[in-house]
Amino acid sequence: MKLSIVLSTQPASFSALAYRGHWEENIGKIKSLGYDGVELAVRDPKLLDVPSLKSLLTEQSLIVPAIGTGQAFGEEGLSFTHAEVEIRRKAIERVKSHIELACDLGAAIIIGLVRGKRGAGVDADRAEQWLIEALRESASQNKAVKLAIEPINRYETDLINTVVSGLNLVERIQMENIGLLLDTFHMNIEEPSLTASIASSKDRLFHFHIADSNRWYPGAGHTDFRPIVDVLDQIGYRGFLSAEILPFPDPDTAARKTIAYMRTLAT
Amino acid sequence: MKLSIVLSTQPASFSALAYRGHWEENIGKIKSLGYDGVELAVRDPKLLDVPSLKSLLTEQSLIVPAIGTGQAFGEEGLSFTHAEVEIRRKAIERVKSHIELACDLGAAIIIGLVRGKRGAGVDADRAEQWLIEALRESASQNKAVKLAIEPINRYETDLINTVVSGLNLVERIQMENIGLLLDTFHMNIEEPSLTASIASSKDRLFHFHIADSNRWYPGAGHTDFRPIVDVLDQIGYRGFLSAEILPFPDPDTAARKTIAYMRTLAT
């Protein structure tokens, strides 16, 4: 079992991040806690000192399994389905710059809230069409970089809430480097059965987020992670389990509790 | 096990209502499906033809376990914690009119979203103080009518998300007719353990909402209702289990599936 935890490389308002900012210090801390990797939440790659980041990651032998792009939406309002064409274009160009960084780091790209929400005046079919076009263009830029679409619960977006709708989208696009990221917190709200949904994603499962039912560290809620770890093994998932959790009671305790709990489930 | 289902007496935008409007027709349907009661969602009691409603309920031998007040917030923006004193006053007067209706029908009053959300410029302590004052004034109007505060998940309000915070509030107010309404959909998101939270509410549990983890009818998600029904029995809860569910795949199917599933758990 390979474990990682989300680190925001810039300060951000999104609350489900154990670690934000001070990445030089936090990467060392994440390593010392025993994590194998660090998932990076990056608003804009051009704000990052990539050579320093890479040398620190090498020094610490930490892998970057995935790069989150949601801050481009959360902080700047960029999305693949915005009513204005200029904003859609900016969102695509931004994700392409994330893809360059991902290629450099050997990471996958997360398509979370950067896909947007259906706003007033944008109907469902049009939003889906824009989303498909943006994903095709982004995925075509570099076929070695995987794009992982994350089904997100109904309260945060109305575009792709469930694993079924995510798989339908993947099916419609038909590109080898487009698949899914599943997140146990969102699945707890949306999926009739977490294990059945994970099983249905098969080889389209590119990345996996762990958080308990209340978005605290695993073990703090009622999600049963044992059958989840088992079904991930059964479908041959060999990627990371990445903690996207609230920093409660504090970031270090949350990170420590996550790793201690998940290690008890290692197969 | 006494089962009821939510019926909105006026058309409303809130989506977790199996039945909306056409209450004369729907009350007959709810009875014919085998329900023992009907929970009424009422925006403003003065819009209701109460004598006709009462005679229909008597004719159908249906009980009204509780009256929901959230539409006063959802449709009109009235809340106990609004920054403007006139709106807080209107909200209290509205709930007092709900309490008169509740007394007439032998129902409890639900304090859901009418408590409001902490808005810009209203700090947490002040909002809580206004909430306490509004609850005290409302509960004092008629001590025979129970007020049930519903912990609601983080996405819908930031005031009272968990059973612990609900019990703390009840404890601070110290009135016999103030207690809690617990809802399995919200608990699935907020509570570390649904059964432990239910057990902790003891004799302060005034009303209970059932919906599966995805807010569909019980049986459509992953919530395990068997231990829930058992713990309700253990704490001596003798009230209704009331379905506040999404009308999927359609209202009648949702209502039918709910009753069929819950009857299999009857103790």
Side-chain angles (χ1 to χ4, degrees):
Chain A
M1 184 189 290
K2 293 181 291 187
L3 294 174
S4 57
I5 189 163
V6 178
L7 168 68
S8 175
T9 55
Q10 285 101 31
S13 57
F14 176 55
S15 63
L17 293 170
Y19 291 112
R20 314 181 206 188
H22 308 290
W23 56 266
E24 300 86 346
E25 181 192 329
N26 280 323
I27 282 178
K29 199 183 272 181
I30 287 166
K31 176 66 181 182
S32 71
L33 287 169
Y35 284 91
D36 311 291
V38 55
E39 176 182 320
L40 300 176
V42 178
R43 193 184 100 210
D44 187 343
K46 80 169 188 288
L47 303 173
L48 261 185
D49 175 358
V50 179
S52 300
L53 174 63
K54 283 182 72 172
S55 93
L56 184 57
L57 290 165
T58 305
E59 188 187 308
Q60 300 280 3
S61 313
L62 280 172
I63 287 169
V64 178
I67 292 170
T69 58
Q71 290 176 8
F73 175 75
E75 310 284 321
E76 297 178 58
L78 304 185
S79 99
F80 286 168
T81 56
H82 196 280
E84 292 172 38
V85 61
E86 299 79 14
I87 293 182
R88 297 200 299 278
R89 176 48 43 198
K90 272 191 192 171
I92 294 170
E93 296 307 323
R94 178 64 59 82
V95 168
K96 285 182 172 179
S97 75
H98 282 107
I99 289 171
E100 276 182 43
L101 175 65
C103 184
D104 201 8
L105 297 174
I109 284 292
I110 297 171
I111 305 295
L113 286 174
V114 76
R115 65 176 171 273
K117 315 177 188 194
R118 292 202 297 264
V122 178
D123 72 34
D125 287 348
R126 173 160 295 185
E128 197 167 290
Q129 201 46 48
W130 284 339
L131 175 56
I132 288 173
E133 287 165 15
L135 285 168
R136 280 210 177 105
E137 180 177 340
S138 304
S140 299
Q141 182 184 245
N142 185 334
K143 300 216 170 150
V145 174
K146 290 178 170 178
L147 306 191
I149 302 158
E150 182 179 20
I152 290 176
N153 83 70
R154 64 192 73 179
Y155 289 107
E156 299 192 22
T157 181
D158 48 9
L159 266 174
I160 316 297
N161 301 131
T162 62
V163 177
V164 165
S165 60
L167 285 172
N168 283 343
L169 185 69
V170 166
E171 185 69 24
R172 286 181 61 186
I173 300 177
Q174 289 279 353
M175 290 179 68
E176 284 302 306
N177 59 331
I178 290 188
L180 298 183
L181 153 56
L182 302 189
D183 178 306
T184 55
F185 172 73
H186 296 302
M187 284 197 285
N188 176 59
I189 299 174
E190 297 296 342
E191 303 304 317
S193 158
L194 278 71
T195 49
S197 293
I198 294 166
S200 73
S201 68
K202 297 182 206 155
D203 61 345
R204 287 302 174 149
L205 184 58
F206 288 174
H207 191 49
F208 199 80
H209 276 168
I210 49 171
D212 216 321
S213 48
N214 49 9
R215 215 169 198 170
W216 284 49
Y217 57 83
H222 60 75
T223 294
D224 187 0
F225 284 91
R226 172 83 270 162
I228 290 171
V229 167
D230 289 345
V231 74
L232 286 169
D233 191 54
Q234 282 156 27
I235 63 168
Y237 179 73
R238 298 288 172 264
F240 274 73
L241 306 193
S242 197
E244 185 179 64
I245 55 176
L246 293 167
F248 299 147
D250 60 77
D252 292 355
T253 303
R256 202 162 28 236
K257 293 256 193 189
T258 296
I259 203 158
Y261 186 86
M262 295 308 294
R263 289 293 181 220
T264 68
L265 302 176
T267 45
Chain B
M1 183 189 290
K2 294 181 291 187
L3 294 175
S4 56
I5 188 163
V6 178
L7 168 68
S8 175
T9 54
Q10 286 102 31
S13 56
F14 176 54
S15 63
L17 293 170
Y19 290 113
R20 314 180 207 189
H22 309 290
W23 56 267
E24 301 85 347
E25 180 191 330
N26 281 322
I27 281 177
K29 198 182 272 181
I30 287 166
K31 175 66 182 182
S32 72
L33 287 169
Y35 283 91
D36 311 292
V38 55
E39 176 182 320
L40 300 176
V42 179
R43 194 185 99 209
D44 187 344
K46 79 169 187 289
L47 302 173
L48 261 186
D49 175 358
V50 179
S52 300
L53 174 64
K54 283 182 73 171
S55 93
L56 184 58
L57 290 166
T58 305
E59 188 187 308
Q60 300 281 3
S61 311
L62 279 172
I63 287 170
V64 177
I67 292 170
T69 58
Q71 290 177 7
F73 175 76
E75 309 284 323
E76 297 179 58
L78 304 185
S79 98
F80 286 168
T81 56
H82 196 282
E84 292 173 38
V85 62
E86 298 79 15
I87 293 182
R88 296 199 301 277
R89 176 49 42 198
K90 272 192 191 171
I92 294 171
E93 296 308 324
R94 178 65 58 83
V95 168
K96 284 182 172 179
S97 75
H98 281 107
I99 289 172
E100 276 182 42
L101 175 65
C103 184
D104 201 8
L105 298 175
I109 284 292
I110 297 170
I111 305 295
L113 287 173
V114 77
R115 66 176 169 272
K117 315 178 188 194
R118 292 202 296 266
V122 178
D123 71 34
D125 287 348
R126 174 160 294 185
E128 197 167 290
Q129 200 47 48
W130 284 338
L131 175 56
I132 288 173
E133 287 165 15
L135 285 167
R136 281 212 176 105
E137 180 177 340
S138 304
S140 300
Q141 182 184 245
N142 184 333
K143 302 217 169 150
V145 174
K146 289 178 171 178
L147 306 191
I149 302 157
E150 182 179 21
I152 291 176
N153 83 70
R154 64 192 74 179
Y155 289 107
E156 299 192 20
T157 181
D158 47 9
L159 266 175
I160 316 296
N161 301 131
T162 62
V163 176
V164 166
S165 60
L167 285 172
N168 283 343
L169 185 69
V170 167
E171 185 69 25
R172 286 181 61 186
I173 300 177
Q174 290 278 352
M175 290 179 69
E176 284 302 307
N177 59 331
I178 290 188
L180 298 184
L181 153 56
L182 302 190
D183 179 306
T184 55
F185 172 72
H186 296 301
M187 284 197 285
N188 176 58
I189 299 174
E190 297 296 342
E191 303 304 317
S193 157
L194 279 71
T195 49
S197 293
I198 294 166
S200 73
S201 68
K202 298 182 206 157
D203 61 346
R204 287 302 174 149
L205 183 59
F206 289 174
H207 191 49
F208 199 80
H209 276 168
I210 49 171
D212 217 321
S213 48
N214 48 8
R215 215 168 199 170
W216 284 48
Y217 57 82
H222 61 75
T223 294
D224 186 0
F225 284 92
R226 172 84 270 164
I228 290 171
V229 167
D230 289 345
V231 75
L232 286 169
D233 190 54
Q234 282 156 26
I235 64 168
Y237 179 73
R238 298 288 172 264
F240 275 73
L241 306 193
S242 198
E244 185 179 63
I245 55 176
L246 293 168
F248 299 147
D250 59 77
D252 291 355
T253 303
R256 203 163 27 236
K257 293 257 193 187
T258 296
I259 204 157
Y261 186 86
M262 296 308 294
R263 290 291 181 221
T264 68
L265 303 176
T267 45

